[in-house]
Amino acid sequence: RGVVMLVPRIKPGIWVKAQLRLADLEGRIFTVLRRGDDDGGTIIVKIVDRGGMADVLAQTTATSGTGELAWYRPLGPEPVSDGDADAYIARQGDFDPDIWALEVMDRDGTYEISGTVLDQG
């Protein structure tokens, strides 16, 4: 049997604070739309482009079994309207009051989320 090394998970409240600080340093608009549980809430990030379309990423763990932070696109691989993204976030918040929801204005298309973005399919 192989040994699986677990990656320590950063608490969501700390991750969000770090992202806010990085956004400030980069001059990027980064907004907390919904405050979740500091210790255990899942994070959803809405990345809005210059045209007002949004890419939605939800936190998960990598399928490798290591516990590494990863992201998936719950609304599919193509950007959706800002309204569709907000509706998804509202539904998730109704289902789980502990989630965090963040919005990043990515007018220049250079924002990269920390962690692996899993392929669709």
Side-chain angles (χ1 to χ4, degrees):
R1 293 185 196 172
V3 175
V4 175
M5 299 293 292
L6 295 178
V7 176
R9 182 173 177 209
I10 297 173
K11 292 182 179 185
I14 293 171
W15 187 89
V16 169
K17 287 177 186 174
Q19 292 302 302
L20 289 169
R21 180 70 177 130
L22 288 170
D24 186 49
L25 291 171
E26 295 171 352
R28 190 178 308 279
I29 300 170
F30 198 97
T31 307
V32 176
L33 301 174
R34 180 182 181 97
R35 183 179 167 82
D37 182 71
D38 283 336
D39 295 327
T42 300
I43 301 168
I44 298 172
V45 179
K46 178 175 86 167
I47 305 165
V48 182
D49 67 18
R50 181 180 298 273
M53 298 298 284
D55 190 16
V56 178
L57 298 173
Q59 184 183 41
T60 188
T61 52
T63 56
S64 63
T66 63
E68 176 186 356
L69 177 64
W71 302 91
Y72 71 99
R73 291 182 168 91
L75 300 179
E78 299 300 319
V80 298
S81 72
D82 194 49
D84 286 347
D86 287 341
Y88 172 78
I89 290 168
R91 286 191 307 273
Q92 294 306 302
D94 289 344
F95 177 73
D96 180 1
D98 293 335
I99 69 162
W100 287 85
L102 313 171
E103 180 176 286
V104 180
M105 297 302 294
D106 189 28
R107 292 186 178 106
D108 57 3
T110 60
Y111 177 76
E112 291 185 28
I113 197 155
S114 60
T116 301
V117 177
L118 303 175
D119 291 330
Q120 295 295 117

